[in-house]
Amino acid sequence: MLTIDEAIEKFNREIPEEVQLSCEADFVLKPLEEIEERYGITLSPLLILFVLGEVVGDDLITYIENEFSFEEKKAAVLASEIQDKIFKPLFDRINFLNDHPEKEMTLEQEKYYVENIFKKGILAELNYDPIVKDAVNRRLFFILARDADYRRRLEQSMYDNVELLTSQSIMIDGREQPATISNWLKDFIAHYGSQSYNSVSVSSFLVNSDNGKKLSAEDRAKLADVIKIYTNIKFFPDSMPSDNGEDWQIIPYEIEVMPDSERDFSEETTELAEEKLKVILHEVPLPNKPANKTELKTISPSLPPLAPAPVPAKIVEPVKPLAETGDEEDLVELRNMLLQYPAGSLERAAIEEEIKKKSG
């Protein structure tokens, strides 16, 4: 098995950045931290080894037995919990973001995954780094290019979304309602109908409507992003800013409460519109950013192959191998390595655990 420094170096060198960032998302870190606290253990090194394919299948129980001195039954219980709460959700996320043609997730499975995002995970997507948003958008375009009507399912999913979008309840038809994404969209549609929106109507709703003018700047920004997603989906592809794929977004990278340009979106349902979409997405490929990482064919025997990362990788200096002259030198080297990584990072947590072990 790789040493901790080898694992960190390989993780930073070979794993696409959208996957690295997914490992630091709340859906991974919250259950990981809860399990760590309950068992009094550190799981960051295990997470890195899992993504690298070093610990898979029955290896997980063996790792837990050896690393934490757990007896087999207790190790099996913990392994099952880690698989269900951390590894399986992370595996699904990696599989979804993967754009390799030989990946395991089918188109229908991708559609189901995206619908769950639009039903109950939009707020989490808005909190991701732009690199992850870009990767998600590319999968959305991939799906929409093969099923133009799929946008209606996503639109309905947003209508059904009960995530609390803002901190204050809202008034609809004279009644106080929870401030869910669903209810905010209903209020927006009640003001401006469902056929056409432009930047003036959106901005007016955010600032001047009875519910909108009570919002904090932070809540108004979140609402603006949600409405942007809604209009991007409802009027796709006419809601996109160009005909060649340039600057296309479904999930916005930046908050724009009042966009500079004004564009009226009208729904097109003709065969011509569908042909236009096919031409744009099939014959005019979306612009790709240069990849800095080597192609990662497989993460592990149970994980799908990954295509090269479509975004620049983080600049991380290679981790030097540990000294071979004894534990004291190793500790010095490990403490020096800590300086390369910010507090709270996955790599730093793994190194801190190694220091703890060597310090006795």
Side-chain angles (χ1 to χ4, degrees), residues 125-329:
E125 296 299 324
L126 290 177
N127 288 329
Y128 274 114
D129 187 277
I131 290 171
V132 179
K133 292 179 182 179
D134 179 71
V136 172
N137 281 334
R138 290 175 185 277
R139 298 318 298 165
L140 289 172
F141 296 140
F142 177 87
I143 296 171
L144 290 167
R146 287 150 182 80
D147 184 355
D149 291 332
Y150 180 66
R151 63 186 178 84
R152 293 184 175 89
R153 288 165 57 179
L154 296 184
E155 184 182 348
Q156 183 61 51
S157 294
M158 292 194 74
Y159 292 149
D160 296 337
N161 189 305
V162 294
E163 291 182 273
L164 289 175
L165 177 59
T166 59
S167 55
Q168 297 182 0
S169 59
I170 61 177
M171 299 297 295
I172 300 180
D173 295 331
R175 298 177 59 186
E176 188 174 3
Q177 300 288 346
T180 62
I181 288 177
S182 174
N183 283 334
W184 270 112
L185 289 178
K186 289 175 184 176
D187 191 38
F188 178 60
I189 293 168
H191 278 77
Y192 297 103
S194 60
Q195 299 306 312
S196 178
Y197 310 116
N198 56 40
S199 63
V200 173
S201 60
V202 173
S203 299
S204 178
F205 176 75
L206 293 172
V207 177
N208 299 321
S209 68
D210 289 340
N211 289 317
K213 63 187 178 183
K214 299 176 183 178
L215 293 176
S216 65
E218 180 182 358
D219 282 346
R220 186 173 289 116
K222 286 194 296 183
L223 178 56
D225 275 350
V226 167
I227 294 176
K228 183 68 172 175
I229 294 172
Y230 171 73
T231 56
N232 283 345
I233 283 294
K234 182 172 181 62
F235 301 110
F236 187 82
D238 291 327
S239 54
M240 298 296 101
S242 67
D243 288 337
N244 62 3
E246 185 176 357
D247 296 327
W248 280 25
Q249 297 178 6
I250 297 295
I251 299 173
Y253 295 6
E254 298 178 356
I255 295 171
E256 293 182 353
V257 176
M258 298 183 68
D260 293 334
S261 60
E262 297 179 11
R263 299 183 68 249
D264 287 315
F265 306 144
S266 59
E267 187 171 14
E268 289 185 25
T269 57
T270 62
E271 293 183 4
L272 179 61
E274 295 178 0
E275 284 301 314
K276 171 184 172 184
L277 176 61
K278 291 177 183 177
V279 169
I280 291 172
L281 294 183
H282 284 295
E283 297 182 11
V284 183
L286 293 176
N288 284 313
K289 301 173 185 177
N292 288 11
K293 293 179 184 282
T294 57
E295 183 173 4
L296 182 62
K297 291 297 185 182
T298 57
I299 284 186
S300 77
S302 62
L303 288 175
L306 287 173
V311 295
K314 291 188 292 188
I315 300 175
V316 179
E317 293 295 328
V319 180
K320 299 177 182 178
L322 293 179
E324 299 178 355
T325 55
D327 286 346
E328 191 61 36
E329 289 85 352

